[in-house]
Amino acid sequence: ELIDAGTALFTYRFAGEIADGTPKLDRGLRWGEMSRSHQRDEHDRGLCGRILAHGDFHGDGRTRIILGPRGYSRQPVVVLQQEAHGWPADRSAGTPLVVQGFDISGCPLVAFDWNGDGRLDLIAAQRDTGDYYQLDEAGHVAEDQRDRYSADGVWRGRVGGWTLHLLRNDDSTEGLRFVHDGTVELAHAMPGGPMAPVDKTDPSAGLLLLGDYGELFHLPLLHTGDRPQWGELSELSSLHGAPFTRYANFLHIDTAILSPGGGADLIAGDVAWSACWCRYRGADAQGRPIYDDPRKMKQDDPHVNGGAFSVPTVGDWRGTGTADLLVGGIEGYVLWYKTLSTEPLRFAPP
């Protein structure tokens, strides 16, 4: 299944593929509902939040999910695990995540056995945000967006780099516990934070990282151990030699084997809330993974979606007496959904 996390959790079953092999998903199942006034309260229902990392951290064959809070929430990071009756339906069933010596608040995480002891550890990416916001004379961040950018649209603050922190799995019998064990020392500052393993069964395949502008990078792991040795960071191009920013603006990445006997494909979520699939095509002479051009996953009977910050409006554009739906999307398109019926409410594809 494909899991969409960030606000409420959704799961989608793979329902086959189209002619070129692109995966096709069903309509999905909602596991939670975020409060309509989520900036001011915590009145969520069910499972809401961001999945920060997942894997078999105890080596007992059971997957644990590290679930962070959704935007504007002050809920703690918890660990959920599958029970005999299935997955819990509320975050209150989770146990606290213990991290000694490091604050993971706001940090992207990835489950990765960097010390080679057979237990999944964590790597946390922390952004240097010291000069990100330009403060006014009173020491406050400007409320008006026009005061945050220059006249030519350039952000006034400094975007800043990232640092990778190693969190060792302490293998506690009382719960999931990690200990800060240093940082990843590289010749240059990290260009981004979101991460994914190239191959979840082979740490030596290295890490994938997303840059702040959607670029895809590879960080090889030369040697595992208490002081792992890392190779040179390099940007990846697609199978046809194009940067991944040419096709989409990725925000989150993961890898998974979707075809029996195949390699671990790259799965990415972009700024328009589309799920993108990049087939794994092997490795180059330097051992870097090669991925095909991104393709957007398809969905049977999809929901109305214009992506993040979409603005829907209604109107009788055809003069039929029945209003249709217009949705402006973040990619710059205006999507028109023709109303097919009102009881039940159904729309044609955009």
Side-chain angles (χ1 to χ4, degrees):
E1 293 178 327
L2 181 72
I3 303 177
D4 174 26
T7 53
L9 264 68
F10 295 82
T11 56
Y12 302 90
R13 291 186 181 276
F14 287 94
E17 59 186 34
I18 61 177
D20 64 358
T22 303
K24 187 170 58 173
L25 305 168
D26 67 1
R27 280 178 60 84
L29 176 67
R30 176 192 286 268
W31 286 70
E33 184 175 359
M34 188 174 64
S35 168
R36 292 182 178 270
S37 54
H38 59 277
Q39 300 96 332
R40 302 188 300 272
D41 58 50
E42 303 278 357
H43 299 161
D44 303 331
R45 295 191 298 175
L47 277 178
C48 296
R50 296 177 295 118
I51 294 180
L52 301 178
H54 58 91
D56 180 8
F57 293 98
H58 286 307
D60 57 3
R62 302 170 66 183
T63 297
R64 269 87 172 172
I65 288 177
I66 300 177
L67 184 68
R70 48 92 173 155
Y72 296 101
S73 173
R74 298 183 181 275
Q75 293 286 339
V77 177
V78 296
V79 180
L80 300 177
Q81 66 181 28
Q82 189 174 14
E83 304 293 348
H85 59 275
W87 285 97
D90 190 272
R91 67 181 300 123
S92 61
T95 57
L97 174 69
V98 179
V99 179
Q100 180 180 333
F102 183 74
D103 183 6
I104 64 170
S105 300
C107 294
L109 303 177
V110 64
F112 192 78
D113 182 18
W114 48 264
N115 57 12
D117 63 355
R119 298 194 303 268
L120 281 178
D121 306 297
L122 289 178
I123 299 179
Q126 186 178 52
R127 184 196 283 277
D128 172 20
T129 58
D131 300 321
Y132 184 71
Y133 289 108
Q134 293 293 297
L135 306 181
D136 58 20
E137 296 179 355
H140 300 137
V141 177
E143 288 291 336
D144 194 325
Q145 291 283 347
R146 293 170 295 182
D147 294 331
R148 300 185 183 186
Y149 296 86
S150 61
D152 57 354
V154 177
W155 181 258
R156 294 183 184 275
R158 185 176 65 88
V159 174
W162 295 77
T163 303
L164 299 185
H165 294 260
L166 302 175
L167 307 178
R168 174 171 44 84
N169 188 343
D170 203 31
D171 198 24
S172 172
T173 57
E174 299 178 356
L176 210 51
R177 183 175 182 269
F178 296 89
V179 178
H180 186 257
D181 207 1
T183 60
V184 175
E185 301 297 335
L186 298 175
H188 304 284
M190 294 298 301
M195 302 164 287
V198 175
D199 186 341
K200 294 176 180 176
T201 63
D202 182 14
S204 65
L207 275 178
L208 298 173
L209 298 102
L210 270 185
D212 285 324
Y213 303 99
E215 320 98 300
L216 185 65
F217 294 88
H218 176 244
L219 179 62
L221 178 59
L222 304 180
H223 298 287
T224 60
D226 292 338
R227 292 295 176 263
Q229 297 182 21
W230 304 86
E232 184 178 353
L233 185 73
S234 58
E235 184 177 356
L236 298 181
S237 300
S238 72
L239 180 64
H240 295 94
F244 283 87
T245 51
R246 177 173 297 177
Y247 306 97
N249 190 352
F250 292 161
L251 294 178
H252 305 282
I253 53 174
D254 201 356
T255 54
I257 298 175
L258 300 186
S259 302
D265 299 332
L266 175 65
I267 311 297
D270 68 6
V271 71
W273 289 0
S274 298
C276 301
W277 166 70
C278 307
R279 188 194 296 272
Y280 177 74
R281 294 292 189 179
D284 63 13
Q286 287 74 41
R288 297 173 298 191
I290 300 174
Y291 298 104
D292 212 334
D293 301 339
R295 301 179 184 275
K296 291 185 178 181
M297 292 187 183
K298 309 303 178 184
Q299 188 180 20
D300 284 330
D301 196 13
H303 296 276
V304 174
N305 177 30
F309 298 106
S310 60
V311 181
T313 186
V314 296
D316 184 10
W317 318 110
R318 297 175 291 141
T320 61
T322 300
D324 297 326
L325 185 65
L326 283 183
V327 180
I330 197 170
E331 290 183 308
Y333 299 103
V334 176
L335 307 177
W336 169 42
Y337 289 88
K338 178 182 176 181
T339 303
L340 299 180
S341 64
T342 56
E343 292 185 3
L345 184 60
R346 296 176 62 245
F347 299 99

